[in-house]
Amino acid sequence: MTPVERIDSLLDNRSVVVCCGAGGVGKTTMSAAIGLAAAQRGRKVVVITVDPARRLGEALGLADGLGADPRPIECDLVEGGALWAMMLDPEVELERVIRSHAVRPGQADEALANPFTRSIGSALGGTQEFMATEVVYRLVNDERFDLVVVDTPPSDRAIEVIEAPDVLVRFLDHQVFKLLMGTGGRAFRLLSAATQPLLRAVGRVIGTAVLDDVVGFLRSFTGMEASFRDRAVAVRTVWRADSTAFVLVTAPRPDAVEETRRFAEQLSSLGVGTDLVIANRCAPSIDLVPGDGEWAPAAAGSDPVDVARSLADWSARLYEAESKVLADLDTPIRIERRPGDVHDLESLSALARAIGT
Amino acid sequence: MPPELKSFDVAVSDGRWRDAPWLLPDGTLPSAEHGGRVLLVLGKGGVGRTATCAAIAHGAAAEGLRVLIVGLDGRPTLAALTRGTDVTVRMVSAGTALEDYLLDQGFGGFAKRLATSGVIEVVGAAAPGIHDLVVLGKVKQFANEGRWDLIVVDAPAAGHATSMLTSVDGLLDIVEGGPIREQAVAVRSLLLDQNRSAAVLVTLAETTPVTESLELAGVTTESVGVAIAAGVVSALQPVRHLPSPDAVHGVRGAPALRTLLERAAVDAEVATAAIDRFRAGLGAPIALLPRLPVAGLDVASSQLLGRLLAVGGVR
């Protein structure tokens, strides 16, 4: 397929589009633009940002930002199209997950009362990734939407989002977890946290009171493991489905391109293919006349035509340098940097047109 | 020196760029009598944070300082930008820092088992930030060694930088005694000592990056208490005073030049407003760096940025 055909297929036929990329490449803005372009073709789209940044709200022209539930975005769309957006709030999601998976009355309140549940929801890295898979699962099964666009955190964390279901399954089966939960068989149960040497050593580092709280935290989830596991397995299937597309957003910088290549390899080792690479914010290709000499920063008071030519030369060199950098990628779609910044629906629409046509 | 950079070099040496803020708030250079001074370079991904670290290091090394860059992201970029120069690079990862730390604490062979058995992962959940703390502890150790005048820390991208810096106070809240608490107290006193630690904020000259950078600056000063030494605006188009698009009327290639000038004018307008807002919000000196038209920085271009920084960047 040509890049254009790949974009058409993405916007018209897929039910999940996952946007990944290095930090600062404009991934969130690109996710919003893909969502808008699909909605303009009549899809019912929800865009969710997993990265706790306000940029999605800003790109969609929402002064008061996004919440933990999808909200409709007012914009010009064709009949039948819709655009919604939301932001992952790990704390809100954690509470929802605990409430929906609880297996006995009062369990959710107990789990939520543990001091570590709160600190984990707000501070622990992995929580965000696990909660992301929960939300994606919910959105995929929500009848209001036929396309879920997922804006992931920067590369390494994005892999963690994709891996989260596998990691959760491994964790639930891990000896240490079973030991802490007291589900590891009779021999394990006989050892209390205070006498087990590994745990005792850990206690020496962080203090035994803290360790007791962790054990209490994990035990407050007793009985929920099975439904956590089922959910993890379901999301694992979503990531690898044919109806799911992975879009890698990159920038014409060597570090970003290198990261994109590495990321594509990591994805592929997880059994996930890359559908499209978009190089964002590229120098414009305009019909430049190279300057007569070497480009030099123009001093104040230089001849205006010399200044213009030196700028043209700088631009032409930049375009060439970027082409060299992008040559390492497999037919990326090159999106020109827009003068200024994408910060409202109007500038976002222009970007959506650049992708969608 | 690559040919496309020669003109920059000329511009630097003839003093055209000289109008300089330098890195320390009081205008002095760091020196051995401060002890190792720690400069935390902070910024969102993609704003040129690593390039700025290398530029600061080269600029300071050119002034005769003994400079160490501490990289936390495990990438080879810093090594590539300093190879064969007087600047030293050390990479620190959370895993090895934790292992070193446990070894120092007398855990002996147990350290490795603790770090690899998965127990630490489970417990890391209890004391989020334990990894961040041991990394900062490593920086503190470099600062106390006395081998460096300036230690430039290439901090992780914005969100993680915030949690790294706040991890110290977070741990002080939940850990009441023991080695972790002692470490947190020591790191905190280094970070809060304005004679020994300061932050440099890096941004692009655009609306959202400046907003994000100022937020990061707020967390750095208010929540953590680290002083801000300077701001760096990177990747600027190299012309500050653009001619009007009409100026190229009738010359060879006029239509393309006109389009170029029109685009550049929009960029310049956004950039000027962003730089002004950054300067006002940061309350610290600002240095401006150009986007060099090269396929990736190398040692020479990185040293050039260092010289530009030392004389105040593109004005």
Side-chain angles (χ1 to χ4, degrees), chain B residues 2-315:
Chain B
E4 65 267 35
L5 300 182
K6 234 178 191 161
S7 43
F8 262 117
D9 205 36
V10 171
V12 172
S13 49
D14 76 4
R16 199 182 291 164
W17 316 84
R18 195 173 294 275
D19 180 9
W22 173 242
L23 289 169
L24 304 191
D26 60 1
T28 58
L29 291 172
S31 71
E33 75 198 50
H34 287 108
R37 195 183 155 96
V38 176
L39 214 48
L40 300 165
V41 180
L42 305 170
K44 209 176 165 271
V47 298
R49 196 184 56 248
T50 300
T52 300
C53 282
I56 289 173
H58 285 307
E63 304 277 352
L65 300 184
R66 298 167 303 164
V67 187
L68 171 72
I69 310 183
V70 180
L72 306 182
D73 65 0
R75 288 188 198 148
T77 320
L78 282 170
L81 296 184
T82 54
R83 192 163 290 125
T85 70
D86 291 339
V87 174
T88 309
V89 172
R90 290 259 194 290
M91 301 308 287
V92 173
S93 81
T96 57
L98 182 60
E99 224 175 285
D100 285 358
Y101 172 78
L102 292 170
L103 278 172
D104 288 350
Q105 294 299 318
F107 280 87
F110 221 56
K112 197 159 193 86
R113 197 169 152 216
L114 272 178
T116 56
S117 65
V119 176
I120 281 291
E121 290 310 315
V122 174
V123 169
I130 195 166
H131 287 106
D132 292 328
L133 178 70
V134 293
V135 166
L136 289 173
K138 202 80 195 167
V139 172
K140 183 203 69 182
Q141 197 182 323
F142 291 135
N144 291 342
E145 272 176 10
R147 293 171 60 199
W148 319 105
D149 301 316
L150 182 67
I151 296 160
V152 181
V153 181
D154 187 5
H160 189 184
T162 307
S163 58
M164 184 174 89
L165 290 172
T166 53
S167 69
V168 180
D169 281 355
L171 283 167
L172 285 174
D173 282 348
I174 58 173
V175 182
E176 281 166 9
I180 289 280
R181 187 175 176 89
E182 284 162 31
Q183 180 79 317
V185 169
V187 166
R188 189 158 186 262
S189 76
L190 171 66
L191 291 180
L192 296 191
D193 180 352
Q194 304 214 353
N195 286 319
R196 298 197 61 195
S197 304
V200 171
L201 273 294
V202 187
T203 188
L204 297 173
E206 292 170 25
T207 315
T208 315
V210 164
T211 304
E212 286 165 347
S213 189
L214 288 176
E215 279 169 10
L216 186 55
V219 174
T220 308
T221 50
E222 283 151 35
S223 311
V224 188
V226 178
I228 291 180
V232 172
V233 183
S234 77
L236 285 163
Q237 61 180 359
V239 181
R240 290 276 276 165
H241 302 284
L242 284 167
S244 140
D246 294 334
V248 295
H249 182 74
V251 307
R252 186 166 57 91
L257 286 176
R258 201 186 162 85
T259 311
L260 188 72
L261 286 174
E262 282 166 358
R263 289 183 65 110
V266 178
D267 278 339
E269 195 184 321
V270 172
T272 305
I275 291 167
D276 288 348
R277 198 159 58 87
F278 189 51
R279 181 178 281 125
L282 205 59
I286 303 285
L288 310 179
L289 290 176
R291 182 189 295 281
L292 299 182
V294 291
L297 294 176
D298 55 10
V299 173
S301 49
S302 180
Q303 285 175 326
L304 171 62
L305 289 178
R307 286 199 297 281
L308 286 172
L309 206 54
V311 298
V314 182
R315 302 299 298 178

Side-chain angles (χ1 to χ4, degrees), chain A residues 116-130:
Chain A
F116 283 104
T117 309
R118 285 290 157 205
S119 76
I120 279 172
S122 57
L124 177 63
T127 314
Q128 199 188 347
E129 286 76 18
F130 294 121

Side-chain angles (χ1 to χ4, degrees), chain A residues 204-283:
Chain A
R204 266 173 65 198
V205 180
I206 63 164
T208 43
V210 175
L211 183 62
D212 287 346
D213 280 343
V214 189
V215 174
F217 166 72
L218 290 172
R219 289 194 177 151
S220 68
F221 287 90
T222 304
M224 299 191 201
E225 302 97 314
S227 57
F228 279 140
R229 213 194 146 89
D230 291 348
R231 184 63 60 94
V233 170
V235 174
R236 193 154 64 174
T237 313
V238 168
W239 292 149
R240 288 159 182 83
D242 287 342
S243 55
T244 298
F246 278 77
V247 175
L248 307 194
V249 185
T250 190
R253 305 190 310 257
D255 58 322
V257 165
E258 180 49 38
E259 201 168 319
T260 303
R261 283 161 54 97
R262 206 173 49 216
F263 187 78
E265 279 167 24
Q266 281 176 300
L267 274 185
S268 139
S269 73
L270 293 173
V272 175
T274 299
D275 295 82
L276 194 65
V277 178
I278 298 179
N280 194 22
R281 303 167 60 86
C282 291

